[in-house]
Amino acid sequence: MNSTGEMNEGPAAGAERYMRFAAGAIGLSMAAFHLYTALTVVFSPMIQRSVHLAFALAMLFLITPGGGRSGSFDRFTRIAAAVLSVVVCVYAAIEFTSPEILRVIDPLPMDLALGTVLTLLLLEATRRTAGPSLAIVAAVFLAYAFLGPHLPGLIGHPGFSYSQVVSSMFIRLEGIFGTALGASATYIYVFILFGAFMMRMGGGDFFIRLAQAAIGSSRGAAAKVSVLASALFATITGTGPGNAAAVGTVTIPTMMRAGYSGRIAAALEAAASVGGQIMPPIMGASAFIMADLLNVPYFEIAKAAFIPASMYFIALFITADLEAARHGMKGTPRDQLPKMGDVIREGWHYLVPVGVLIYLLGIVQISPSRAGAWAALSFIPVWLGRELIARRRIQWSNILDALEEASRGAVMIAAACAIIGIVMNVTDLTGLGLKFTSLIVGFSGGTLIGLLAVTALAAILLGTGLPTTATYLIVAILVAPALAKMGVPPIAAHLFVFYFGVISDLTPPTAVSCYVAGGIAGESGMKVSISATRIALPALIVPFMFVYQPALLLQGEWIDIILATSATLAGIVAVSAALVGYWRHPLSTVERAAAIVAGILLIFPDRMVGLAGLAILAGLAFLGRGKRAPAGAE
């Protein structure tokens, strides 16, 4: 004992230690449950989802303080909430396993009581993990279910009784235990486990070194390495802010030492970190939910997203390169970089599970949950083999730590998916989705380009301050149907709103990834957000292009795919040059405006319109011959 103060804190510290131990045991049990069901047979939907939610909420409350002063009351409420979560979810698993249509119409008093308790628990769990935004959104939707008769015009509805609202949320599989939680309970967890094994076994450092070896000697290499490493890293972790924190501590200072300003360095890292969520094969959690909503194999979603996601990162590469050229930056000398052979030789085992995942998803085409589970478990033998070859002491605790970390990482997504079930249920009950679709179509003026612009803005606004999974689910149920009504193919419509929902994590005012990156660079998070949005703007023409040209989603003949991809690249180059103000030489205001026009013209599939855009680019290249940037140009 170092002081009497420590003696006074002993009971509290002991209680916290027991709670952490209980949370760890729950986390390991949760991992065992999900691996078992992924590798064997999933239980019936209500059992699978309710057990998943019971694990998630119990662990969440045990590890997450209430936000006020910690003390015995806070510990008591956390334990009580954890116990109540288990009781309510187990009740649902026992009582609602068989279809009970009459039970929804005439619920028992216990159904209503426990349904109310679960709703309150979810609101509090979401507030603790994702902040107040998502909890407020869910509360507004709940209020809307009751206040319909008092609302004017299109948004009004006849209203529903308390019993109708609570029973439909708690008993039906279209409510709290709906599609979103189903994806979390079957697919998402095993991919979070995959990422946890990758990070615990040292995969993050491997990806950074791999990026350095691949492109470290090129112009603007520091930024390009950041983009590539963040793309690889975020593809596995599926989270923008977490990736910015993990990778940014290395890449942002490196970019600043290379000559990038702190704001640009942080903005590039934030943009790359956020973009990792749209890059196959994992694409965060939302792609699995998208597959369920569209009732298509997950691999079809990943395949369709490949070219648009690649174009996003190419846009960041081009911006980084043009910024480097404008400031006269050079690459890192080759003798100061790791050699590709050495990097692969030391870290080949990190590529094996990725290969297993791609093989099982793309070639064998087994279910995503089973593919993810086998890929995650494949880390263990290759890691053990690598440790034995290197004659290092095997740290068996790494495996248990990865299992527990996966459960910790899954609890926020599980809570968000469950509470979004409330939003989806109210939308279905009240017909809000159809009303919102009519509203958006009306604002668009009846044109597809107008509808796309309004839809993109709506997706960004609806995603402000929300986790990516919650953002996608909200825009999928409220915004995507408007595109489908105008004849946009379902996959294109959902990828469009998903793309802009992800981008909402960059735009002011609640760009969490930008605040994380800005903190590392010592810059204002708001200023970083503005710069990151500008950097990502060239990539924002990509969703418009794949709506007009489905070949970008790998649909159609190869010649069409090649032509569409070439037009997209040309458009990205044009818009990037205009925004940076440099293309082999500083661009005048007129040249920048012309480049913007060229990029916009390349969106449309009409050959003549596209040729006009290419002609403008060719004219800019011809007129710029012989021009050079002045020495030291900024």
Side-chain angles (χ1 to χ4, degrees), residues 97 108 234 247 250 297 336:
T97 300
L108 301 176
V247 180
V250 176
Q336 297 179 22

Side-chain angles (χ1 to χ4, degrees), residues 58-83:
M59 187 174 187
L60 186 154
F61 283 114
L62 289 177
I63 65 178
T64 311
R69 290 186 60 186
S70 61
S72 57
F73 179 74
D74 177 66
R75 287 190 293 276
F76 171 77
T77 56
R78 286 158 59 192
I79 294 171
V83 172

Side-chain angles (χ1 to χ4, degrees), residues 593-617:
I596 287 286
V597 171
I600 293 174
L601 291 177
L602 287 162
I603 289 176
F604 301 99
D606 186 278
R607 295 284 173 83
M608 297 306 296
V609 175
L611 286 174
L614 288 175
I616 294 174
L617 281 182

Side-chain angles (χ1 to χ4, degrees), residues 498-581:
F498 175 49
Y499 205 107
F500 282 100
V502 167
I503 293 298
S504 69
D505 196 27
L506 286 182
T507 55
T510 53
V512 180
S513 297
C514 295
Y515 282 91
V516 172
I520 296 171
E523 295 283 340
S524 161
M526 182 62 69
K527 291 180 179 178
V528 170
S529 175
I530 294 170
S531 295
T533 303
R534 176 182 67 80
I535 287 170
L537 272 179
L540 299 190
I541 70 171
V542 177
F544 289 88
M545 294 188 78
F546 68 61
V547 168
Y548 281 100
Q549 304 186 60
L552 286 174
L553 302 180
L554 292 178
Q555 298 176 8
E557 301 295 328
W558 278 107
I559 185 63
D560 295 326
I561 294 171
I562 292 171
L563 289 174
T565 303
S566 301
T568 304
L569 282 172
I572 286 173
V573 169
V575 177
S576 298
L579 293 174
V580 174

Side-chain angles (χ1 to χ4, degrees), residues 4-54:
T4 56
E6 187 172 312
M7 289 180 60
N8 293 334
E9 293 178 2
E16 286 290 343
R17 186 168 60 252
Y18 284 123
M19 290 171 69
R20 286 195 299 270
F21 177 81
I26 291 171
L28 293 177
S29 301
M30 186 178 186
F33 170 77
H34 285 89
L35 285 173
Y36 173 77
T37 56
L39 296 174
T40 57
V41 178
V42 176
F43 290 110
S44 67
M46 181 59 79
I47 293 178
Q48 181 79 19
R49 298 170 190 183
S50 57
V51 172
H52 171 71
L53 189 60

Side-chain angles (χ1 to χ4, degrees), residues 286-634:
S286 303
F288 303 105
I289 300 173
M290 189 185 303
D292 263 12
L293 291 177
L294 295 176
N295 195 28
V296 299
Y298 165 76
F299 185 71
E300 291 300 314
I301 302 293
K303 184 176 72 174
F306 177 73
I307 291 179
S310 300
M311 293 298 105
Y312 178 93
F313 286 102
I314 288 173
L316 298 188
F317 264 86
I318 292 172
T319 298
D321 184 73
L322 293 175
E323 287 281 358
R326 187 164 71 98
H327 292 84
M329 299 179 194
K330 305 296 182 183
T332 304
R334 175 55 65 181
D335 58 4
Q336 297 179 22
L337 295 170
K339 295 180 179 180
M340 180 63 75
D342 293 340
V343 174
I344 297 296
R345 187 165 49 254
E346 294 170 5
W348 60 268
H349 54 295
Y350 298 115
L351 300 176
V352 172
V354 177
V356 169
L357 177 63
I358 295 173
Y359 173 76
L360 293 177
L361 281 176
I363 307 300
V364 181
Q365 295 192 7
I366 63 176
S367 71
S369 58
R370 187 162 299 179
W374 281 120
L377 292 176
S378 70
F379 270 104
I380 297 176
V382 296
W383 171 69
L384 288 175
R386 187 70 184 88
E387 296 298 287
L388 290 172
I389 292 172
R391 297 184 179 181
R392 286 192 289 261
R393 181 181 177 185
I394 296 175
Q395 300 289 333
W396 295 101
S397 60
N398 282 344
I399 297 174
L400 295 178
D401 289 342
L403 294 172
E404 185 180 346
E405 284 176 15
S407 297
R408 286 174 178 266
V411 295
M412 186 182 79
I413 292 178
C417 287
I419 206 163
I420 286 296
I422 295 174
V423 175
M424 297 176 74
N425 184 65
V426 172
T427 301
D428 180 46
L429 277 178
T430 61
L432 180 62
L434 293 175
K435 297 173 183 178
F436 204 84
T437 296
S438 300
L439 196 63
I440 289 180
V441 172
F443 272 120
S444 72
T447 64
L448 181 56
I449 188 65
L451 178 61
L452 292 173
V454 172
T455 301
L457 180 61
I460 290 174
L461 292 177
L462 288 170
T464 299
L466 300 182
T468 302
T469 305
T471 296
Y472 167 68
L473 282 164
I474 289 176
V475 298
I477 61 177
L478 293 180
V479 180
L483 295 177
K485 188 174 182 179
M486 290 284 284
V488 177
I491 288 183
H494 279 255
L495 283 176
F496 185 90
V497 297
F498 175 49
Y499 205 107
F500 282 100
V502 167
I503 293 298
S504 69
D505 196 27
L506 286 182
T507 55
T510 53
V512 180
S513 297
C514 295
Y515 282 91
V516 172
I520 296 171
E523 295 283 340
S524 161
M526 182 62 69
K527 291 180 179 178
V528 170
S529 175
I530 294 170
S531 295
T533 303
R534 176 182 67 80
I535 287 170
L537 272 179
L540 299 190
I541 70 171
V542 177
F544 289 88
M545 294 188 78
F546 68 61
V547 168
Y548 281 100
Q549 304 186 60
L552 286 174
L553 302 180
L554 292 178
Q555 298 176 8
E557 301 295 328
W558 278 107
I559 185 63
D560 295 326
I561 294 171
I562 292 171
L563 289 174
T565 303
S566 301
T568 304
L569 282 172
I572 286 173
V573 169
V575 177
S576 298
L579 293 174
V580 174
Y582 189 95
W583 185 24
R584 302 174 65 183
H585 63 88
L587 299 180
S588 66
T589 302
V590 173
E591 289 173 320
R592 296 175 77 169
I596 287 286
V597 171
I600 293 174
L601 291 177
L602 287 162
I603 289 176
F604 301 99
D606 186 278
R607 295 284 173 83
M608 297 306 296
V609 175
L611 286 174
L614 288 175
I616 294 174
L617 281 182
L620 288 174
F622 179 79
L623 294 173
R625 288 187 310 166
K627 291 185 178 182
R628 293 290 184 271
E634 293 295 321

